[in-house]
């Protein structure tokens, strides 16, 4: 689970000042519960640290609220790919010219297996240089640096539980002069290493959380993993949910398709990945000691602008393909509609429903949740999120303009965040918890009046003259 995310010198997030010492600090977004007593079910409890299930981030256009999600995406990409993402050399904060040569700071505080860890790094974006990297185990009374590097030319240092593993020294010596993060290098074809060195397994768990359990969804991206839809039970649940949102959909149907034609329209890189996965599944089936999944099947679900396609292979190794199409009430049962024939709002809901039905322990970050959704649908989606994930360890972080969510019956005060820019163009992110707001206050009205910042301030470009 995500506990905190900190960033400095990235896009519009330069730095903030400590109010007591005036020292420069990173900008901090937090999922820590405040002193609020309302909606206690919105808290995921843990022995080490309780965290919130939900956070909504508000801000005017160009305030920087999307930049906090971009910072998370950069953090994830450089860890998972081992490379600086394309275009990242220009993403330092351009508020001051000298920032081009200053390090950019990223740190994520994560709750894994009832333990608290902080993983982070500093990079000079303009030069593509890793300046520092660290992994720290946290507790209320102490912190243990599992590993750290402090400076481009510094070597990696390990704590007692890791320093006796000779292979770590060998790996880090081989990284001298490298522009990759140590966490990435330690998860590149290293399964045999972890089998022999279980004390180092936390390096693999942190990496896997960043890669698999942190899902960051840009405005035009669907939720990544919807393969759970490839069974009739799930399809009925999705259809019932879509119907509850008043979309008119009553059923989702699997329409058989020619596998060769489906493969022909898949983009080359995705087709290559799918064929590799099929080859691996085939090897497992043909292996004498092979173990398939419970149903002995491999499947994948894909979507393009017009269709939703599924490919499934059983133990007979014969591929089956189908498309998902929708039936509507008051329209003949033999009439099916593709996703491209549905409204943008219905398509958006279909993309988001995985969050409601998933059983995975994940943190979803959605930029512009309300894109294409009617305000009432956005409100209902959040209501359904709390209902469907009541006993699940799932977090949802969204950016939004939808003021109707600013309702203390729906969200807690500590679940509401604002992003605003100062006169220099530096974005600041802060929680409503910082304000002394009564629980009976009309928070949406106060927000639109600019009480908490994060709303546009208009200037008159073309004065309207009175008619004489």
């Amino acid at each position: 689970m995500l506990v905190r995310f900190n960033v400095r010198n990235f896009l519009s997030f330069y730095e903030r000042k400590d109010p007591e010492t005036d020292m420069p600090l990173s900008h901090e977004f937090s999922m820590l519960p405040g002193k609020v007593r309302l909606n206690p079910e919105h808290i995921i409890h843990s022995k080490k640290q309780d965290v919130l299930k939900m956070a909504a981030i508000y801000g005017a256009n160009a305030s920087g609220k999307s930049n906090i999600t971009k910072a998370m995406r950069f953090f994830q990409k450089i860890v998972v790919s081992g490379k600086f993402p394309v275009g990242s050399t220009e993403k330092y904060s351009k508020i001051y010219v000298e920032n081009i040569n200053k390090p950019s700071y990223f740190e994520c505080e994560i709750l894994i297996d009832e333990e608290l860890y902080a993983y982070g790094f500093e990079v000079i974006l303009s030069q593509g240089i890793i300046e520092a990297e660290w992994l720290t185990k946290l507790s209320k009374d102490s912190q243990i640096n599992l590993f750290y590097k402090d400076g481009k030319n510094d070597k990696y240092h390990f704590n007692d539980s890791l320093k006796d593993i000779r292979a770590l020294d060998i790996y880090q010596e081989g990284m001298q002069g490298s522009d990759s993060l140590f966490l990435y290098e330690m998860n590149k074809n290293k399964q045999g290493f972890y089998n022999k060195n279980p004390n180092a397994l936390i390096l693999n768990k942190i990496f896997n959380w960043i890669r698999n359990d942190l899902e960051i969804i840009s405005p035009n991206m669907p939720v990544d993993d919807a393969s759970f839809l490839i069974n009739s039970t799930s399809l009925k649940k999705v259809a019932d949910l879509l119907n509850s949102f008043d979309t008119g959909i009553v059923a989702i149907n699997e329409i058989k398709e020619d596998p060769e034609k489906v493969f022909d329209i898949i983009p080359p890189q995705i087709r290559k990945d799918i064929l590799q996965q099929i080859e691996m599944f085939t090897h497992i089936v043909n292996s004498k000691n092979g173990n398939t999944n419970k149903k002995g099947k491999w499947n994948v679900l894909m979507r393009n602008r017009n269709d939703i396609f599924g490919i499934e292979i059983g133990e007979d190794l014969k591929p089956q393909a189908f498309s998902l199409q929708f039936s509507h009430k008051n329209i003949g049962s033999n009439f099916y509609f593709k996703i491209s024939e549905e409204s943008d709002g219905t398509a958006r809901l279909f993309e988001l429903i995985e969050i409601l039905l998933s059983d995975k322990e994940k943190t979803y970050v959605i930029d512009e949740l309300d894109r294409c959704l009617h305000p009432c649908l956005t409100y209902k989606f959040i209501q359904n999120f709390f209902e469907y994930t009541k006993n699940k360890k799932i977090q949802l972080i969204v950016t939004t303009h939808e003021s109707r969510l600013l309702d203390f019956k729906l969200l807690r005060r500590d679940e509401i965040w604002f992003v605003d820019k100062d006169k220099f163009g530096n974005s600041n992110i802060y929680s409503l918890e910082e304000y002394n707001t009564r629980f009976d206050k009309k928070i949406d009205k106060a927000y639109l009046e600019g009480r908490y910042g994060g709303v546009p301030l208009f200037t008159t470009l073309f004065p309207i003259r009175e008619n004489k």
Side-chain angles (χ1 to χ4, degrees):
M1 297 284 97
L2 178 67
V3 181
R4 289 188 180 96
F5 180 77
N6 286 67
V7 61
R8 182 171 67 235
N9 194 22
F10 185 81
L11 296 175
S12 60
F13 286 94
Y14 172 45
E15 64 183 25
R16 63 187 174 98
K17 298 292 185 181
D18 187 311
E20 296 181 0
T21 65
D22 206 38
M23 292 289 290
L25 300 171
S26 59
H27 295 273
E28 180 176 288
F29 168 76
S30 166
M31 294 296 284
L32 293 171
K35 298 178 180 178
V36 186
R37 294 185 180 180
L38 294 179
N39 298 320
E41 70 278 7
H42 291 194
I43 295 176
I44 300 172
H45 294 285
S46 168
K47 294 178 182 177
K48 288 292 177 73
Q49 180 62 66
D50 294 344
V51 292
L52 293 167
K53 292 181 69 71
M54 169 76 191
I57 304 172
Y58 286 83
N61 290 330
S63 64
K65 66 181 183 300
S66 290
N67 287 344
I68 196 71
T69 67
K70 290 176 182 177
M72 292 181 184
R73 179 172 288 280
F74 172 85
F75 170 86
Q76 183 184 55
K77 279 188 173 182
I78 193 172
V79 170
V80 172
S81 70
K83 302 175 183 177
F84 281 76
V86 175
S88 59
T89 57
E90 299 292 322
K91 290 187 177 179
Y92 58 89
S93 178
K94 296 180 180 178
I95 295 172
Y96 301 107
V97 175
E98 58 268 27
N99 286 354
I100 188 172
N101 293 316
K102 288 185 177 180
S104 298
Y105 177 99
F106 302 85
E107 184 180 69
C108 200
E109 199 170 307
I110 311 164
L111 187 65
I112 295 180
D113 295 338
E114 299 291 332
E115 297 289 351
L116 201 57
Y117 300 91
Y119 170 73
F121 50 84
E122 285 188 333
V123 296
I124 298 180
L125 292 171
S126 63
Q127 301 173 39
I129 293 174
I130 307 290
E131 277 284 297
E133 185 182 6
W134 60 91
L135 175 61
T136 305
K137 185 176 181 180
L138 305 173
S139 68
K140 292 182 179 179
D141 303 320
S142 64
Q143 60 181 40
I144 301 171
N145 290 320
L146 298 181
F147 77 78
Y148 72 91
K149 166 190 171 181
D150 188 11
K152 177 186 175 182
N153 298 317
D154 189 21
K155 68 175 186 177
Y156 284 89
H157 306 270
F158 305 100
N159 84 313
D160 292 343
S161 65
L162 298 178
K163 70 180 181 181
D164 292 333
I165 302 176
R166 175 58 182 155
L168 289 177
D169 281 328
I170 296 173
Y171 291 141
Q172 72 104 8
E173 287 171 6
M175 286 182 60
Q176 294 298 322
S178 169
D179 291 327
S180 292
L181 293 167
F182 182 70
L183 190 66
Y184 165 76
E185 293 293 341
M186 288 308 303
N187 286 279
K188 189 170 64 174
N189 303 320
K190 297 287 194 302
Q191 190 56 50
F193 166 79
Y194 292 113
N195 290 338
K196 294 179 181 178
N197 300 283
N199 286 351
L201 194 58
I202 186 58
L203 304 179
N204 182 245
K205 289 183 177 181
I206 295 290
F207 179 84
N208 284 336
W209 185 90
I210 295 169
R211 180 179 61 180
N212 301 323
D213 298 336
L214 176 63
E215 186 158 343
I216 303 163
I217 304 158
S218 300
N220 295 314
M221 285 174 55
V223 176
D224 278 350
D225 181 15
S227 59
F228 76 102
L229 289 174
I230 307 182
N231 69 73
S232 56
T233 302
S234 292
L235 287 179
K236 186 176 187 315
K237 288 181 180 178
V238 174
D240 290 344
L241 260 174
L242 289 173
N243 189 41
S244 74
F245 284 104
D246 198 29
T247 61
I249 290 173
V250 293
I252 303 175
N253 311 280
E254 293 185 358
I255 309 300
K256 286 189 177 181
E257 304 283 354
D258 183 342
E260 291 187 6
K261 290 183 178 179
V262 172
F263 274 108
D264 285 343
I265 63 176
I266 299 173
Q269 184 56 51
I270 297 177
R271 182 167 60 243
K272 180 181 177 181
D273 292 343
I274 289 174
L275 290 174
Q276 287 177 344
Q277 292 180 49
I278 291 174
E279 185 179 349
M280 290 175 61
F281 176 77
T282 301
H283 176 74
I284 292 171
V285 171
N286 290 332
S287 173
K288 292 181 180 179
N289 298 318
N291 291 314
T292 61
N293 58 37
K294 290 181 181 179
K295 294 186 178 181
K297 293 181 180 180
W298 175 91
N299 51 45
V300 65
L301 197 70
M302 301 160 290
R303 177 182 168 185
N304 60 21
R305 291 180 179 272
N306 299 312
D307 293 287
I308 303 167
F309 289 113
I311 298 175
E312 186 173 87
I313 298 177
E315 290 185 345
D316 60 2
L317 301 181
K318 293 180 179 179
Q320 304 291 327
F322 58 88
S323 62
L324 296 185
Q325 299 184 26
F326 304 87
S327 298
H328 284 251
K329 62 184 177 183
N330 301 325
I331 298 178
S333 58
N334 293 326
F335 289 93
Y336 304 131
F337 296 85
K338 296 181 178 181
I339 192 69
S340 58
E341 297 174 294
E342 299 291 344
S343 71
D344 289 343
T346 298
R348 178 64 167 164
L349 284 171
F350 183 83
E351 292 169 356
L352 297 173
I353 274 177
E354 188 235 321
I355 297 170
L356 304 183
L357 297 182
S358 176
D359 289 321
K360 296 178 180 178
E361 185 175 313
K362 290 186 81 167
T363 299
Y364 295 93
V365 181
I366 303 178
D367 193 12
E368 296 185 20
L369 171 71
D370 45 323
R371 179 182 64 82
C372 300
L373 294 183
H374 186 280
C376 292
L377 287 184
T378 306
Y379 191 100
K380 183 172 175 57
F381 180 82
I382 299 300
Q383 280 185 317
N384 282 352
F385 169 75
F386 288 121
E387 179 184 346
Y388 279 79
T389 65
K390 192 175 296 182
N391 298 312
K392 300 176 184 178
K393 292 184 177 181
I394 295 177
Q395 291 176 301
L396 177 61
I397 300 164
V398 304
T399 71
T400 181
H401 292 289
E402 183 46 66
S403 62
R404 295 193 193 193
L405 302 183
L406 296 170
D407 178 352
F408 287 141
K409 294 179 181 178
L410 181 69
L411 296 178
R412 296 158 52 103
R413 190 173 63 195
D414 48 12
E415 294 174 315
I416 299 170
W417 287 75
F418 301 104
V419 176
D420 205 5
K421 273 186 179 178
D422 63 23
K423 62 182 180 180
F424 301 107
N426 181 37
S427 292
N428 290 287
I429 184 166
Y430 48 92
S431 170
L432 184 61
E433 182 80 347
E434 297 179 23
Y435 290 84
N436 186 18
T437 303
R438 299 193 320 272
F439 291 106
D440 60 349
K441 179 180 284 295
K442 291 287 186 181
I443 183 68
D444 56 340
K445 185 174 184 293
Y447 164 66
L448 293 173
E449 289 176 350
R451 189 77 52 82
Y452 310 109
V455 294
L457 300 176
F458 300 107
T459 56
T460 303
L461 297 179
F462 303 102
I464 300 174
R465 294 185 175 88
E466 294 183 3
N467 292 327
K468 295 183 179 179

